[in-house]
Amino acid sequence: MENSRLDDTKLIAIIGLLISVLIVVSVLFGIAYFYDVRHNPEVAVGSCYDQRPESPL
C-alpha cells in the first residue's frame, strides 16, 4: 500500500499546528506565572475588609 504525498503533508501540517499551539500556550502560561510571582500588590490585604468602628460592647 502506497501512502499519498497529500496525506504526509496533512500529517506534518497537523503536527506543526499542534506544536505551535503548545508553544504559544506554554509562553502565555509562563508570562502569567512570572507576572503573578513578581507582582507586588500596592494594596494592603487589611484594606480589603470593611473598616467599621468597634462597638462599645
Side-chain angles (χ1 to χ4, degrees):
M1 207 160 98
E2 186 176 321
N3 287 339
S4 172
R5 184 115 174 113
L6 185 61
D7 291 339
D8 293 340
T9 306
K10 284 183 181 179
L11 183 63
I12 291 172
I14 290 173
I15 291 172
L17 181 65
L18 291 174
I19 289 173
S20 64
V21 167
L22 180 65
I23 290 171
V24 168
V25 168
S26 299
V27 167
L28 290 176
F29 178 78
I31 289 171
Y33 176 76
F34 285 119
Y35 176 76
D36 190 43
V37 168
R38 303 182 92 203
H39 182 67
N40 293 326
E42 306 213 359
V43 178
V45 175
S47 67
C48 296
Y49 298 103
D50 194 13
Q51 301 291 330
R52 295 183 186 169
E54 294 182 20
S55 67
L57 298 176

